[in-house]
């Protein structure tokens, strides 16, 4: 006699395919990004003092708190243990000058977590990079408070950023701009905390690549595109081209922001288009508009285009000569 067994499904969680197992959890990936962000944070603390640590604490604490409260109030699963809110808080704090008031960090964190990340559905469903969106929002509406640039200690004095001197149709590098080596190290350079030392950013980039968190395609193509356009526009002046590469948030944004999994394209060709698009937009904004930087706007515009880019650049299926539009597979 064959016994009949009943299978108990009460403990199973049903979810759509594919069902893949990976040791690389979201929390582990975010932990690696946090470690990579420590390098520019240490450099910023060295140049601008202990207030940087206070700004980082405020950014992290407010971002995590906003995420926790939203998920509790909306009766959703609390996901602060994935550390994504910690990364957002660190990016916002490092994207501001040391003179920025603490309330601007809290305001930026609330905008990033509530408006950009949680309302669209949380991590993985946000169209825009939360930290970049918060940075642009603060720059648009609160510039008098977050653009008070100063040179690093011990001689802390108000100053302009290098991009304010070499941007807006300029093809020359004024004498007051630090030389390329100082731009690389961050010596005597006014600007946002995280972008000060390019050496520290490159160490963080190397760590992320070695740990397999990102590949070099997006950062390299992004920076290379800006370098090529600035070289052509600047009559092939090496100093002019490198001054643009080493000034502003270009390296910081290319390393920590343009490589965001959630808001970037998924397809290999899409990543190429995304990176080149970010570079072209950044260069055009720096040249044409009297608005130094351009990295934040460029990344947000390409974030908005990422789904369309993926739609038309989905890889060809084996046996097919043409690409299959992503929507046609649904």
């Amino acid at each position: 006699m064959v016994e009949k067994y009943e299978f108990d499904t009460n403990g199973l969680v049903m979810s759509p395919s594919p069902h893949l197992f990976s040791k690389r959890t979201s929390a582990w990936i975010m932990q690696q990004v946090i470690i990579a962000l420590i390098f520019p944070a240490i450099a910023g603390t060295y140049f601008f003092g202990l207030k940087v640590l206070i700004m980082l604490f405020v950014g992290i604490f407010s971002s995590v708190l906003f995420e926790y409260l939203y998920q509790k109030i909306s009766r959703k699963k609390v996901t602060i243990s994935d550390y994504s809110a910690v990364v957002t808080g660190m990016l916002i704090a490092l994207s501001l000058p040391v003179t920025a008031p603490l309330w601007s960090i809290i305001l930026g964190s609330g905008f990033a977590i509530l408006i950009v990340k949680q309302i669209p559905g949380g991590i993985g469903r946000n169209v825009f990079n939360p930290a970049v969106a918060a940075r642009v929002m603060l720059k648009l509406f609160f510039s008098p408070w977050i653009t008070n640039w100063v040179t690093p200690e011990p001689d802390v004095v108000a100053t302009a950023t290098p991009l304010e001197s070499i941007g807006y149709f300029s093809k020359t590098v004024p004498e007051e701009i630090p030389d390329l080596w100082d731009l690389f190290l961050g010596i005597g350079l006014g600007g946002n905390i995280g972008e000060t030392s390019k050496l520290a950013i490159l160490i963080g980039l190397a760590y992320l690549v070695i740990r397999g968190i990102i590949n070099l395609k997006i950062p390299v193509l992004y920076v290379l595109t800006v370098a090529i356009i600035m070289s052509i526009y600047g009559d092939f002046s090496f100093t002019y081209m490198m001054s643009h590469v080493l000034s502003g948030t270009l390296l910081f944004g290319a390393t920590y922001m343009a490589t965001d999994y959630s808001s970037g394209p998924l397809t290999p060709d899409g990543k190429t288009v995304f990176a080149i698009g970010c570079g072209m937009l950044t260069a055009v904004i720096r040249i044409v508009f009297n608005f130094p930087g351009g990295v934040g706007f460029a990344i947000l515009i390409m974030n908005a285009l990422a789904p369309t880019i993926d739609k038309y650049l989905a890889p060809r299926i084996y046996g097919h000569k043409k690409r299959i539009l992503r929507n046609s597979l649904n």
Side-chain angles (χ1 to χ4, degrees), residues 48-308:
F48 294 107
L50 295 178
K51 187 188 174 183
V52 172
L53 300 180
I54 298 175
M55 294 173 70
L56 283 168
F57 173 78
V58 172
I60 294 170
F61 181 79
S62 58
S63 293
V64 173
L65 183 62
F66 278 123
E67 184 153 298
Y68 176 80
L69 292 177
Y70 178 87
Q71 292 173 335
K72 273 292 185 183
I73 293 172
S74 59
R75 297 183 178 181
K76 294 183 177 180
K77 180 183 177 182
V78 176
T79 59
I80 58 174
S81 59
D82 66 13
Y83 298 101
S84 60
V86 175
V87 171
T88 299
M90 292 183 73
L91 286 173
I92 292 173
L94 293 174
S95 296
L96 297 174
V98 72
T99 55
L102 297 181
W103 60 259
S104 66
I105 302 175
I106 299 173
L107 183 64
S109 299
F111 180 80
I113 297 297
L114 300 178
I115 306 298
V116 183
K117 181 181 177 183
Q118 289 300 331
I119 290 180
I123 185 171
R125 294 183 175 86
N126 50 291
V127 176
F128 300 101
N129 183 304
V132 178
R135 171 193 171 93
V136 171
M137 183 277 292
L138 290 173
K139 195 166 186 176
L140 283 176
F141 298 106
F142 301 94
S143 276
W145 292 277
I146 67 163
T147 54
N148 185 20
W149 318 110
V150 295
T151 55
E153 290 181 334
D155 299 321
V156 178
V157 293
T159 184
T161 65
L163 288 177
E164 288 177 320
S165 301
I166 62 177
Y168 196 41
F169 290 110
S170 173
K171 290 187 177 183
T172 59
V173 180
E175 294 182 355
E176 63 266 25
I177 301 299
D179 61 36
L180 296 181
W181 184 243
D182 286 348
L183 286 176
F184 179 72
L185 296 178
I187 298 174
L189 180 62
N192 297 318
I193 296 168
E195 68 192 38
T196 305
S197 172
K198 281 66 186 179
L199 174 61
I201 296 171
L202 291 179
I203 294 174
L205 173 63
Y207 178 83
L208 291 174
V209 172
I210 292 172
R211 299 295 283 170
I213 305 302
I214 64 173
N215 64 52
L216 284 172
K217 175 186 276 190
I218 290 180
V220 168
L221 286 179
Y222 189 168
V223 175
L224 189 60
T225 301
V226 174
I228 292 173
I229 294 175
M230 289 307 180
S231 179
I232 296 172
Y233 181 77
D235 299 327
F236 300 99
S237 166
F238 179 77
T239 301
Y240 178 83
M241 181 266 289
M242 287 305 298
S243 293
H244 268 286
V245 170
L246 298 177
S247 298
T249 314
L250 178 58
L251 287 179
F252 187 82
T255 300
Y256 298 106
M257 295 172 168
T259 53
D260 177 35
Y261 291 177
S262 298
S263 54
L266 302 174
T267 60
D269 290 344
K271 293 179 187 296
T272 301
V273 172
F274 179 85
I276 294 175
C278 285
M280 293 175 67
L281 287 170
T282 299
V284 169
I285 291 172
R286 286 186 176 188
I287 294 172
V288 176
F289 298 97
N290 189 15
F291 202 78
V295 171
F297 288 101
I299 293 177
L300 288 186
I301 292 172
M302 294 309 297
N303 282 162
L305 295 175
T308 303

